[in-house]
């Protein structure tokens, strides 16, 4: 896949970036720009037009920052090239050849099947059904509106293990493309949120003491998905959950399964050390912002504190999160008290500096530049 510049009709920013940058989340385009452009077949074109003036997380090609806008741009490119609506192109080019009969992009399509409801609740208590099954508009399609079963996710992984062909021998991707997707493009400044050491073209990449792997995670309201693939062992494991301590379940289950099936030793779950280091927290105090999220960092009695708040199009997705920050290193902190919002005991919070010198904070693999 070449680093061909975006076609003029779908370009977002005056600063150029490349298709490889969008696929690897190095385009600088932000993530949580949620814009409802309606239910029409032109919703993706309208979304991309509306995203033109959304601020970048970082200059294109300089750093990793998980990007929802980037994948919507890719979806729009597919529409322009194929002349099809993105949903139909996905079905014709991928779902139908692979026989993925339980994968869809529209909520009404799920009515044909037993659709799981997300659940939320405090640790140690039975969770309650989430207030909504689906908060995403149709315009979120390429970055957040694919609904699938674990079986279909595993079949997609099998195609990649088989070098791009289906079980009946139909070629979906070239062997060169399959290999290229697994080539590391960028190192991850946050190796804990999705357990990734780096990012390829679409895949998160792992190095488990010399054993190479790839995969991806996903989440919606009270629902979480995990895929890990170990090509040397021909192993792929998919896990979908709809509530409870999903992150803890993933860590325990995958540690056991990948050790038994692929000889993989996974790293210990992210957590602060028994005796956290003493850190000067003053340089990190301030306000950080990206589209849809405001992060306010303060110091209380010598310890770090953070308020993570959804705003703009993301407002209402969650109440503001009050998070205490426990030092892991001089720049990495373990966020406490996140509960069901992130489905893990500790949330990684990583303070860094962009290539242009701007201070930033990484939460959930997303770069938030310091604005005040």
């Amino acid at each position: 896949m070449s680093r061909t510049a975006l076609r003029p009709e779908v370009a977002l920013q005056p600063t150029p970036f490349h298709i490889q940058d969008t696929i690897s989340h190095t385009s600088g385009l932000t993530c949580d720009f949620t814009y409802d452009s309606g239910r029409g077949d032109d919703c993706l074109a309208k979304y991309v037009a509306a995203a033109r003036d959304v601020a970048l997380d970082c200059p294109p090609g300089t750093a990793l920052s998980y990007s929802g806008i980037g994948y919507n741009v890719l979806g729009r490119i597919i529409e322009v090239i194929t002349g099809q609506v993105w949903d139909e192109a996905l079905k014709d080019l991928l779902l139908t050849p692979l026989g993925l009969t339980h994968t869809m992009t529209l909520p009404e399509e799920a009515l044909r099947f037993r659709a799981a409801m997300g659940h939320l609740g405090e640790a140690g208590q039975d969770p309650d059904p989430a207030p909504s099954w689906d908060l995403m508009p149709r315009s979120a399609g390429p970055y957040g509106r694919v609904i699938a079963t674990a079986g279909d996710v595993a079949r997609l992984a099998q195609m990649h293990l088989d070098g791009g062909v289906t079980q009946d021998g139909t070629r979906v991707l070239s062997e060169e493309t399959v290999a290229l997707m697994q080539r590391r493009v960028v190192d991850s400044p946050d190796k804990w949120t999705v357990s990734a050491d780096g990012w390829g073209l679409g895949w998160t990449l792992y190095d488990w003491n010399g054993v190479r792997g790839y995969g991806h995670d996903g989440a919606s309201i009270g629902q979480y998905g995990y895929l890990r693939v170990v090509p040397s062992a021909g192993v792929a494991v998919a896990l979908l959950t709809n509530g409870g301590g999903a992150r803890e379940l993933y860590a325990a289950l995958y540690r056991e399964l990948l050790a038994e099936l692929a000889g993989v030793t996974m790293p210990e779950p992210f957590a602060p050390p028994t005796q956290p280091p003493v850190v000067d927290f003053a340089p990190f105090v301030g306000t950080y912002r990206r589209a849809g999220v405001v992060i306010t960092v303060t110091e209380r009695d010598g310890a770090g504190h953070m308020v993570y708040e959804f705003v703009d199009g993301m407002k209402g997705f969650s109440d503001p999160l009050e998070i205490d920050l426990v030092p892991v290193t001089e720049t990495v902190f373990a966020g406490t008290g996140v509960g069901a919002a992130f489905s893990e005991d500790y949330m990684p919070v990583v303070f860094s500096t962009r290539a242009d010198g701007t201070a930033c904070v990484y939460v959930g693999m997303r770069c938030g530049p310091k604005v005040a």
Side-chain angles (χ1 to χ4, degrees), residues 123-141:
Q125 300 179 9
D126 289 337
D128 295 318
S132 176
W133 179 71
D134 180 13
L135 292 175
M136 290 292 183
R138 186 183 179 190
S139 57

Side-chain angles (χ1 to χ4, degrees), residues 16-368:
F17 56 89
H18 302 84
I19 290 177
Q20 175 174 292
D21 295 332
T22 59
I23 300 173
S24 62
H25 298 286
T26 56
S27 66
L29 296 169
T30 195
C31 185
D32 296 317
F33 175 64
T34 299
Y35 174 73
D36 189 348
S37 54
R39 285 276 304 180
D41 287 350
D42 60 350
C43 66
L44 202 52
K46 288 181 176 179
Y47 176 98
V48 170
R52 286 179 180 272
D53 297 323
V54 176
L56 295 170
D57 287 349
C58 48
T62 63
L64 171 68
S65 186
Y66 194 89
S67 172
I69 290 181
Y71 270 71
N72 266 14
V73 171
L74 292 171
R76 179 59 184 147
I77 291 173
I78 290 171
E79 290 187 338
V80 172
I81 292 174
T82 65
Q84 294 180 285
V85 177
W86 174 79
D87 311 70
E88 295 302 323
L90 180 70
K91 291 175 183 177
D92 289 349
L93 298 175
L94 184 65
L95 306 186
T96 298
L98 278 176
L100 305 187
T101 58
H102 288 63
T103 300
M104 61 220 74
T105 59
L106 299 175
E108 60 266 26
E109 294 177 298
L111 293 174
R112 296 184 295 134
F113 308 102
R114 296 175 59 193
M117 186 72 189
H119 288 71
L120 300 170
E122 297 300 324
Q125 300 179 9
D126 289 337
D128 295 318
S132 176
W133 179 71
D134 180 13
L135 292 175
M136 290 292 183
R138 186 183 179 190
S139 57
Y143 77 74
R145 282 223 45 88
V146 178
I147 308 162
T149 62
D152 274 11
V153 174
R155 291 184 187 94
L156 174 68
Q158 184 66 59
M159 180 267 289
H160 280 267
L161 283 172
D162 291 340
V165 298
T166 66
Q167 291 182 328
D168 66 4
T170 301
R171 180 158 293 283
V172 178
L173 296 173
S174 70
E175 289 189 64
E176 293 78 11
T177 296
V178 170
L180 188 60
M181 289 178 67
Q182 299 172 35
R183 186 179 303 166
R184 186 177 296 198
V185 175
V186 61
D187 292 336
S188 174
D190 166 12
K191 300 180 183 298
W192 304 277
T193 295
V194 294
S195 308
D197 296 290
W199 216 283
L201 297 183
W203 291 122
T204 49
L205 305 180
Y206 313 97
D207 184 345
W208 296 299
N209 294 323
V211 180
R212 185 172 57 87
Y214 57 90
H216 208 285
D217 294 351
S220 63
I221 304 300
Q223 303 201 47
Y224 305 87
Y226 306 89
L227 174 66
R228 298 292 182 269
V229 184
V230 187
S232 61
V235 168
V237 181
L239 170 67
L240 304 183
T241 76
N242 69 323
R247 185 71 181 177
E248 292 82 359
L249 173 63
Y250 148 78
L253 185 62
Y254 275 69
R255 179 180 303 280
E256 178 179 339
L257 288 176
L258 292 187
E260 178 180 343
L261 300 175
V264 165
T265 301
M266 294 181 65
E268 292 298 319
F270 178 78
T274 304
Q275 294 185 340
V278 177
V279 175
D280 178 11
F281 197 77
F284 307 129
V285 171
T287 302
Y288 303 76
R289 184 175 185 123
R290 54 184 174 79
V293 173
V294 173
I295 301 167
T296 305
V297 178
T298 58
E299 190 170 8
R300 298 181 179 179
D301 299 324
H305 185 79
M306 182 175 77
V307 178
Y308 189 96
E309 183 178 7
F310 288 116
V311 297
D312 305 326
M314 293 290 288
K315 191 174 181 64
F317 275 45
S318 170
D319 292 332
L321 299 174
E322 298 277 349
I323 302 168
D324 292 324
L325 301 177
V326 182
V328 177
T329 70
E330 291 185 350
T331 57
V332 178
F333 295 79
T336 67
V338 293
F342 287 84
S343 189
E344 55 188 325
D345 288 338
Y346 296 99
M347 178 180 68
V349 177
V350 182
F351 292 92
S352 185
T353 303
R354 299 189 324 194
D356 63 359
T358 301
C360 62
V361 61
Y362 277 90
V363 181
M365 298 291 294
R366 294 150 171 83
C367 175

